[in-house]
Each structure stands twice: as C-alpha cells, then as structure tokens.
Amino acid sequence: MQKSLDIGVIGAGYASLATACYLAHAGHRVTMYEKNEMIGGRSRQLKAEGFTFDMGPTWYWMPDVFERFFNDLGRSSSDYYELIRTDPAYRVYFGEGDYMDMPTSLEALYALFEQEEKGAGKVLRQFLKEAEDNYDIAIKDLVYRPGLSPLELITPQTIKKVGLFFKTISKDVRARFKSERLRSILEFPVLFLGAKPSKTPAFYNFMNYADMVLGTWHPRGGMFSVVQGMQKVAEELGIQVKTSADVTAIHTDQGKATGLEVNGAFCPHDVVVSGADYAHTETLLKKDERKYSKTYWEKRTFAPSALLFYLGLDTKIEKALHHTLFFDTSFEEHAKAIYDNPKWPDRPLFYASFPSKTDSYLAPEGCETGIFLIPIAPGIEDGEAIREEYYEILLSRLKALTGQELKDHVVYKRSYCVSDFVKDYNSYKGNAYGLANTLLQTAFLRPSIVSKKVKDLYFTGQLTVPGPGVPPSLISGKIVADKIIEENTKSVRYAAAL
C-alpha cells in the first residue's frame, strides 16, 4: 500500500531523471528543478555553426542497464532512440602511425591479442569469462543494493570472489599479459571508474566484459538522444520539469525536509531528492543538518576533472575512428599528476571523439565534429592561458601521431574545464566524474543515499552508490526511488496499524 507523495528533485541529469521516472511510475507527483536552461546535467548538448556536440559522456556502454531502465517502466530504449554499434569499437594510438583497432568480433579480438603476444588470445578468452562472471554478480545484483550496510556485499557469490577485492586490476592484468600495449588496452576501461588501475579492485574487471563483449554503441543524434528519451518518458508520466530553476535552500521543520527554495520562492514537498553535487547539496542545509564535513570531502579520492575542447572542423578526419585513444605517453606518469601530486600533466594522454564519422547528422557536409578530452586533477587552476597551452599540445600531438594538420581547419572552438564544472554543476573542485571507485569508496563506504540528519531527504548520482558513469547513474536513480517507495510503504503500514 502506498500514499501519493509530492516529491521535489534537484537536478535533471541521468540519476535525477531516473529517480523521477521510477517515482512517478509508482504513482507519486514529481517536480524536477534544473538550474541550467537545458536538462541533462553533465550530458547536455551544444549546437553551434551547424555542429552538434555532446558536452559530457560520449561512450554508450552496458546497453543492458539502459534497457532495464526502460523495461522497468514498460517501455524499450528503441521506442526513443536508435543504437548503432561502432565497428571497430575504438582505436588506440601508441606512437606515430602505430595503433590498434578493437574489433567487435570476439574471435577477431582473440586473434589480435595473439598476434601481439603469443598465447595472449587464450589468456584473454579466460580473462573475459571471469569478467563475465563478475559482471553477472555486480551489474545484475550488487550494484542495485542501497549501500547502507556492509552485509549487502556478503553473498555466496562474493565470498568466492573475496580475493579480487584485495588485488588490483593492474596486478591482475600484468600477471597475465606481458605486452605493455595489451596491458594499456585492458587497463583503459578502469578510467570510467575514476581511479588508477593500481588502486582499483580486480573484481572491477567486469568493465572489460562491458567493453569487449557487450560493445561500444552510439545513440543516433548523440548521447543527448538518451536524455531526450528519458525526458519524453518523464513527460508521459506527468513529471513537471522546470529549467532555469536554481535551488538555493532545502527547507526543514523539526528534522524533516519540507520543501525547496527555488528562484527565491518556497516550493513545498513531502520528500526531497538531490541529484546535484552531494557536497554542494549539503550546503543548502543548516550546518547542524549536514552529515559530511569539509574535512570529509577533502579526504575523499575524487575521479578526475577534464579539459575539453569542442571543435568544428571544415575537413574530414582521416586516421582516427569515432572513438580514438592516444596512449603514446606514460599512463602512470599522467595518473600521478591527477592523484598523487595534483598538477597539469607534462605529457598528457588524451581522448578524441569524432561522432560525425558514425552519424553524419552531427556535422555539416564534408565537415567533422571533434570532442577532445584530457583528464586532469580536480581543483587545479584552469585559466585561458593554460587552456591554450594544452590546445597547442593536443593539436601538435595529433598531427605527429596521425600525420594530419587540423589547426587551420578549426572553424568553431570552445573549451570547458574545472571552473566551468563548478559554475554549471556546483561540482566539488570541478570534478567531472564524482568519487573514484577505490576499495575504501565502494558500496557502504560511499556517501549515503539517505540523509542521516534530515528525514525524507535523499541523494542520488555519481557521488553516492554505485559510482561514476552513466549506467551507474541510472542504477542510482532506481536504488533511491526503491528506498523512498519502501519507506513510504512502511509508514503507511505503521499508520494503518495505529
């Protein structure tokens, strides 16, 4: 038995949209408040000079998680957007003209590994079987748990895997493969978890299964098409989505959330959910109502921020794929500049996305849409001069590696960095991905989805369970909605018993 609640949701990114949809589907009245003019949170869209850019996530992995979201609501992802599998999935550059393309065929992938290192094909086959087993345990079960107790992690399946929580991805991969190129490819997916391979539990090798078996996909129109699909679902469920709606305070009365201060006006709600930055959200409360201190946040290990460039090119890119990784420098040295001694990296790795190679709609005819990303430490200075310095480094390296000069073909350019993440998303230190998934920041060791000091206040998104990334954000929305529904059912039963 449920009573209909009036629920206010802060933000309109993936986690907030998912939470809102699940709650509305359960019969509750939901209003969303997004401070920016466009919904999507970090996954907003930029259109300029005929070019279309995804401002945030550009990888569509774990299609089963997206499908589960839509299926839970009696729908299918195909009702809202079309998926195209990228083949090859992506390209990895190791030096000038030296690259490997990741095929979608597993047999071709095993052959590629075998060609690089004798015996590596067979080893990869076994590695991916183990990764699939971990994926089934994690994605189909563990990550949908609310992270409120360490007992959630104890199952017959995880007991058998306990050793993988105390061994790192890096140690596991390096024990199996000798080729540095293969090691780099297998350690790469950990970047989506926001931590160094040497700090991430080996259990997370399920990301390799997501990469190599489930594949890399592109929603036609870009990742923003997913946001638009979720917005349509929200509208069908009767959710009110208010943009340019800046929440400046969470109102409480006798330890209970009662509503939100939005653009200077009080909006009453029975329950409040925040999908905004967790640290920022707590500043909307009185000091004695906050669970986590400034010191707490300073001691957390945050995933990287990013320096992004959105470039419109009046020529086609020749020697790159839709997704192209440039691993021609030391990942370990770059990682030290992010996690160990935060500073601008001397020789950064970088990533480039040219979505118009798959989806011509995203650029004018004969042109290319280019999105470039350099992972950097959160909280560092990012003035215009340093952005320009790294822009020059990026294009110079791109020319050296691919042999193609692009600087004279840039007809549109916009940069985005730490200060923009702070301004647009109230992001703690301008982080781009949330908290890193290290052993001490997993499950119940992450910030709680339930406020410990304010009743009927909940949190969703990449700073809480299960962690950073688009699929985890969808899962986070379900976790929080389920918790609210569960608590509401308990309260109704209690009232009935009285």
Side-chain angles (χ1 to χ4, degrees), residues 130 134 158 160-169 172 176 200-205 439:
E130 295 170 17
N134 292 343
T158 57
K160 296 176 185 177
K161 301 278 186 177
V162 67
L164 294 180
F165 287 94
F166 296 96
K167 180 167 63 172
T168 67
I169 284 277
D172 187 27
R176 301 180 195 236
T200 304
F203 180 75
Y204 284 100
N205 69 8
L439 178 61

Side-chain angles (χ1 to χ4, degrees), residues 401-415:
L401 293 167
T402 68
Q404 186 173 8
E405 171 66 73
L406 291 180
K407 188 173 182 180
D408 293 338
H409 293 282
V410 176
V411 294
Y412 175 81
K413 172 188 170 188
R414 179 177 171 181
S415 65

Side-chain angles (χ1 to χ4, degrees), residues 200-221:
T200 304
F203 180 75
Y204 284 100
N205 69 8
F206 63 72
M207 292 296 293
N208 295 108
Y209 175 78
D211 168 11
M212 295 176 170
V213 180
L214 298 182
T216 301
W217 300 79
H218 170 76
R220 187 174 296 282

